[in-house]
Amino acid sequence: MKRPTLMTLLSVLAITAASTSAFAKTITLEHLMGKTTLETEPQRVVVIGIGAIDAVDALGIKPVAVSKIAAFPDYLSQYGSKDYPSVGTIFEPDFEAIYSQKPDLIIVGSRSSKHFDELSKIAPTYVFTVPNGTDYWQGTQKIWHDLGTIFDKDQLVNEKITAYNQRFNKIKAYNQSHDVDALMLMSSGGNITSFGEGSRFAVLYQDFGFKPTMAIAPEKANKSGRTGGHGNLVSYELVAQENPSTLLILDRDKLVNKEKSTTRQDFENDLVKSTDAYKNQRMVYLDIPAWYVAGSGITATGTMIQDIEALTKTN
């Protein structure tokens, strides 16, 4: 059998490359930091941010390099290996490392979005975050659709959204028809903070249909119009006084202080035990990666839904 010559192989590669580029098209997408013009079906993609990594992973996209964190969620553990070179952290990109990857596209999450202008000098950069933090599901669908357009994954994105919409709607209908209230709390550094309808966890009230147990003043926004996302301080006495029927707890200490968190023990006090939520076993510890780390991730959003389904009769 005659072996192909080098010229023949190079010709095949050239034809393949031309064929691939023929299907690509130039699009312009709007996002939190403005607009980005890029070519679809990029081959070399750098991803910064856990939610963004979650989303491209769920769509079957293999990035050439990613931002690193101390410990990835189990389902994303492969991105902690040397198979995926590091391009910095989720807060501080390594611009030299990114440049060395010669990316066709950079996808960056909210925590590094302030570096958009610098990243855009390296390659077209798309900001993967919900523009309005209080419109979680609506905004998340938008950025998933954008990824579908970029990577020619529209059908898969539509399937994911349709399936999740059905689950969101069932939960929302149940909670609203049963007038179910909820109080969202986060434990961090010995403090307890609450989150209301205008917070980063507005998804609970807007998309899952819970009624707020109590009115919570919105957090003060910074100059960019975004809040710090750490909630408003409350006490166990106030929790007992408001008597939520559903208590949702995010143990940030477990994330920050690893295994040193005492949140679960701290919540086993007489004041919390006096609430209907505790008595009726409707006190739930939410999945930390899904609710706090991997915002708008496809797998993470499914986990969020699963956490709330456990409180209803819709699953």
Side-chain angles (χ1 to χ4, degrees):
M1 181 177 177
K2 188 177 179 181
R3 297 177 64 184
T5 66
L6 176 61
M7 288 301 295
T8 301
L9 290 173
L10 290 175
S11 297
V12 171
L13 289 173
I15 292 170
T16 302
S19 175
T20 300
S21 63
F23 288 102
K25 59 183 179 180
T26 301
I27 59 173
T28 299
L29 299 172
E30 294 187 8
H31 49 73
L32 175 67
M33 302 302 291
K35 297 180 180 180
T36 295
T37 298
L38 58 109
E39 282 198 352
T40 60
E41 300 186 60
Q43 300 302 302
R44 297 189 61 80
V45 182
V46 166
V47 186
I48 303 167
I50 308 307
I53 294 172
D54 172 320
V56 299
D57 177 79
L59 294 177
I61 308 302
K62 185 176 181 179
V64 294
V66 299
S67 57
K68 301 287 184 171
I69 59 175
F72 280 87
D74 289 344
Y75 68 98
L76 298 176
S77 61
Q78 67 270 28
Y79 295 103
S81 73
K82 294 181 180 179
D83 292 338
Y84 295 89
S86 171
V87 288
T89 71
I90 60 176
F91 295 100
E92 294 295 333
D94 183 333
F95 297 103
E96 186 175 344
I98 295 169
Y99 180 81
S100 71
Q101 290 295 328
K102 299 179 180 178
D104 302 319
L105 175 67
I106 301 168
I107 301 176
V108 60
S110 61
R111 292 176 173 90
S112 284
S113 61
K114 64 182 179 180
H115 299 292
F116 171 76
D117 290 339
E118 297 155 279
L119 292 167
S120 295
K121 293 175 183 177
I122 301 174
T125 300
Y126 174 79
V127 180
F128 182 91
T129 190
V130 175
N132 182 344
T134 62
D135 291 330
Y136 179 85
W137 181 227
Q138 182 178 347
T140 294
Q141 291 179 72
K142 189 270 181 191
I143 55 179
W144 290 1
H145 278 304
D146 284 351
L147 292 187
T149 301
I150 293 170
F151 295 108
D152 191 27
K153 298 283 186 177
D154 295 294
Q155 182 176 345
L156 180 55
V157 167
N158 287 333
E159 290 172 356
K160 297 283 186 183
I161 289 175
T162 297
Y164 285 178
N165 260 329
Q166 292 174 348
R167 295 167 72 186
F168 266 116
N169 291 338
K170 285 182 179 180
I171 295 169
K172 186 172 185 177
Y174 178 90
N175 284 335
Q176 290 184 337
S177 64
H178 291 78
D179 200 29
V180 181
D181 72 277
L183 178 60
M184 170 71 184
L185 300 175
M186 181 167 70
S187 177
S188 181
N191 294 320
I192 308 169
T193 52
S194 60
F195 297 84
E197 294 176 281
S199 72
R200 65 185 294 175
F201 298 112
V203 60
L204 291 167
Y205 313 104
Q206 183 168 317
D207 301 304
F208 285 120
F210 286 107
K211 181 179 69 175
T213 300
M214 62 180 183
I216 300 172
E219 292 183 71
K220 292 181 179 180
N222 58 28
K223 291 181 180 179
S224 68
R226 300 176 73 80
T227 66
H230 289 168
N232 297 286
L233 283 170
V234 295
S235 64
Y236 289 119
E237 287 79 7
L238 182 60
V239 173
Q241 177 184 316
E242 295 295 334
N243 189 26
S245 67
T246 306
L247 197 51
L248 305 167
I249 303 166
L250 191 66
D251 183 3
R252 185 171 179 267
D253 279 329
K254 194 171 183 180
L255 175 68
V256 176
N257 299 319
K258 308 306 177 191
E259 301 303 319
K260 297 179 182 178
S261 170
T262 61
T263 297
R264 289 180 182 257
Q265 298 95 303
D266 295 342
F267 269 80
E268 289 290 324
N269 62 63
D270 290 340
L271 290 167
V272 173
K273 288 180 178 180
S274 71
T275 64
D276 289 341
Y278 188 94
K279 294 174 182 176
N280 297 321
Q281 297 183 330
R282 290 182 60 84
M283 189 172 83
V284 175
Y285 288 89
L286 302 173
D287 184 271
I288 302 168
W291 288 84
Y292 194 77
V293 179
S296 291
I298 292 176
T299 299
T301 300
T303 300
M304 291 167 63
I305 295 172
Q306 187 174 342
D307 278 351
I308 305 304
E309 280 176 335
L311 293 166
T312 69
K313 298 177 181 179
T314 62
N315 57 331

